[in-house]
Amino acid sequence: VTESRFDVVVVGAGAIGLAGALAFSRAGFSTCLVGPAPERRDGRTAALLESSLSFLRGLGVRSALDAASQPLRTLRLVDDTDSIFRPPPVEFRADEIGLDAFGRNIENASLIELLAAALRADGRADWRAELAAGLSGEDFSTVRLADAPPLSGHLVIAADGRKSCLRDQAGLEAHETRYPQVALTTILRHEREHGDVSTEFHTGSGPFTLVPLPGRRSSLVWVNRPPIAERLVALPDADLARTIEERSHRILGRIEIDGPRGVVPLSTLRVSTLHRGRLALGGEAAHAVPPIGAQGLNLGFADLEVLLDLSRTARANGGDIGSPALLSRYQQARQRDVQVRTIAIDGLNRALLSGLLPLDMARGFGLGLLARVGPLRRAVMRAGLGATRFSGRGSAAGSRSASAG
Ligand SMILES: Cc1cc2nc3c(=O)[nH]c(=O)nc-3n(C[C@H](O)[C@H](O)[C@H](O)COP(=O)(O)OP(=O)(O)OC[C@H]3O[C@@H](n4cnc5c(N)ncnc54)[C@H](O)[C@@H]3O)c2cc1C
């Protein structure tokens, strides 16, 4: 059987795989994407931060992206626990640090649709809409398909999600920490304007977050204990809407359910090595975090940016885009950012769940200080947005993080 050869083979047609295939093919690398277009809608949205937005705009999807997403200008944190140290709500406003917005919120399904449309319209990448059957070759450079000749790449990107079979086949170990929580996700239509404000109520079972979408619509991420989430997800629309109205203290007025529902288990997934042979992990195949602090997909776009940057530099210098040296630079560039953010999100989630008095006090005290002390609040916003980023040319810049879903 003759195999087809490409510079880059990307496996998985989620947001990361689609964006990866588009980015590499637009940069002139012969590229093949392997994976069926996802069809399941689960009401999940992604708050994309400025660094991700500028990466995506660079892929020629600016107007589609702007039309389908809503700016996030204010992030409000409300302590809704029954703690005796309950601080006042804290508001982070983007204009306090000279920004127009922290980022934009978009339905995952809309993002996937617009990236798939852009990839088809661009036409440079080959897209095999089927599942990869596995990997072969000593250097993991060959992707096997069930009924077609294999595909080989100088670089193979596993963007096949948190249960990545490519990662397992290359023997890259993943450690998953499961939380006793699930996220209920859906889309809401509401009576009042959201005013581009995302509100995160911190409750004893996890955050309850409303994130603005275009029109009088918002997405809901309600983190809860599994039995409660199962009860909620089984409610008829009208009853679920009333429950959400009450939980949100009616800040958006009357609410209707306006989209599909999803229930997603929460966990953190870490891998110690992001590459083996010619295989590099990206997106949730490489790291997964609970939906607190809007990090997941943003981390994945940063993975792609670094890989693309390193590959372009290698090509300009006549080098090999899947060499061990290049991929170990990828690992170095991404490891710290991913680790810092995973630890921060894990810590925040545990502090909320613990119910332990010292942690509760520390959280109440911290939020209270943030509410009152402007310079501290601004410093926290900048720290959240200003993670060190890496570029193949050795510069560090960019922005990542902030809150919201
Ligand atoms: C409730 C919730 C809210 C979230 N909110 C945010 C947020 O506000 N901001 C943010 O940045 N992130 C957020 N995230 C995280 C974000 O949704 C994920 O990081 C993102 O969807 C991961 O994208 P991915 O492309 O890496 O993986 P996936 O979306 O899982 O895509 C992987 C794809 O690979 C395919 N695949 C699997 N196996 C194979 C195979 N063998 N061959 C071919 N294809 C294969 C799958 O079918 C799938 O289409 C949230 C997550 C949750 C659960």
Side-chain angles (χ1 to χ4, degrees):
V1 195
T2 45
E3 57 184 37
S4 307
R5 295 186 158 273
F6 294 89
D7 291 331
V8 185
V9 179
V10 182
V11 178
I16 296 302
L18 286 162
L22 191 56
F24 275 91
S25 58
R26 282 173 63 98
F29 293 100
S30 64
T31 304
C32 184
L33 173 66
V34 182
E39 279 166 10
R40 207 168 65 93
R41 297 184 89 95
D42 61 3
R44 185 190 304 194
T45 64
L48 300 176
L49 304 168
E50 195 45 48
S51 48
S52 301
L53 291 169
S54 69
F55 175 67
L56 289 170
R57 285 175 184 141
L59 302 182
V61 296
R62 174 185 286 266
S63 55
L65 188 61
D66 287 354
S69 62
Q70 186 69 18
L72 302 173
R73 299 188 206 278
T74 301
L75 310 174
R76 187 193 292 138
L77 297 187
V78 182
D79 187 313
D80 209 8
T81 60
D82 42 19
S83 164
I84 46 175
F85 306 102
R86 233 168 83 176
V90 191
E91 278 200 357
F92 297 96
R93 290 204 340 258
D95 63 7
E96 262 195 275
I97 52 168
L99 295 177
D100 175 50
F102 291 111
R104 299 181 75 93
N105 190 40
I106 184 167
E107 273 185 70
N108 253 33
S110 310
L111 179 61
I112 283 170
E113 269 166 27
L114 72 87
L115 287 169
L119 189 71
R120 288 195 185 101
D122 181 78
R124 277 174 277 188
D126 201 336
W127 184 354
R128 313 284 171 94
E130 59 185 293
L131 290 173
L135 271 179
S136 52
E138 258 174 39
D139 55 1
F140 306 109
S141 63
T142 304
V143 174
R144 286 186 282 108
L145 301 176
D147 296 313
L151 311 165
S152 75
H154 293 296
L155 172 64
V156 177
I157 302 176
D160 52 346
R162 69 167 64 201
K163 293 192 179 127
S164 171
C165 83
L166 266 59
R167 180 186 67 214
D168 293 348
Q169 294 212 345
L172 293 167
E173 252 182 75
H175 304 278
E176 190 166 15
T177 313
R178 286 189 170 269
Y179 300 99
Q181 297 156 298
V182 293
L184 168 67
T185 51
T186 192
I187 310 290
L188 311 173
R189 184 173 291 281
H190 38 78
E191 183 187 13
R192 297 200 189 125
E193 301 284 350
H194 47 54
D196 299 342
V197 180
S198 171
T199 305
E200 186 160 312
F201 294 92
H202 284 183
T203 79
S205 46
F208 170 100
T209 310
L210 300 163
V211 197
L213 282 172
R216 282 193 192 157
R217 295 168 81 237
S218 293
S219 56
L220 170 76
V221 182
W222 189 350
V223 176
N224 237 315
R225 311 268 179 196
I228 300 175
E230 275 155 32
R231 218 181 54 228
L232 289 168
V233 82
L235 287 177
D237 277 4
D239 295 353
L240 179 61
R242 294 299 83 76
T243 313
I244 294 168
E245 263 172 41
E246 277 164 36
R247 195 80 204 74
S248 61
H249 304 281
R250 299 194 169 74
I251 57 168
L252 296 173
R254 275 191 76 77
I255 280 174
E256 281 167 43
I257 307 295
D258 191 36
R261 306 171 188 189
V263 175
V264 195
L266 295 201
S267 63
T268 298
L269 182 133
R270 302 169 213 223
V271 296
S272 44
T273 316
L274 290 177
H275 63 99
R276 180 159 291 165
R278 292 187 174 274
L279 180 76
L281 308 180
E284 283 207 335
H287 39 70
V289 291
I292 302 173
Q295 299 292 333
L297 207 48
N298 291 289
L299 286 173
F301 289 128
D303 297 342
L304 292 178
E305 235 183 311
V306 170
L307 266 181
L308 181 64
D309 208 1
L310 289 168
S311 302
R312 276 191 170 129
T313 309
R315 182 179 56 187
N317 298 327
D320 172 2
I321 61 169
S323 71
L326 183 144
L327 293 179
S328 80
R329 292 195 72 198
Y330 171 57
Q331 161 103 11
Q332 273 166 27
R334 293 301 300 136
Q335 199 168 29
R336 210 180 107 70
D337 187 26
V338 171
Q339 259 173 8
V340 165
R341 277 157 213 289
T342 308
I343 290 168
I345 294 164
D346 180 63
L348 183 59
N349 193 36
R350 283 177 200 277
L352 280 167
L353 272 181
S354 79
L356 283 177
L357 197 63
L359 270 181
D360 213 21
M361 256 174 80
R363 186 173 49 79
F365 181 66
L367 285 178
L369 270 181
L370 284 175
R372 286 190 305 273
V373 185
L376 179 62
R377 193 170 57 245
R378 288 189 283 277
V380 165
M381 285 190 262
R382 286 198 197 93
L385 289 166
T388 307
R389 293 278 301 289
F390 170 90
S391 102
R393 289 172 296 278
S395 66
S399 58
R400 198 145 293 281
S401 170
S403 183

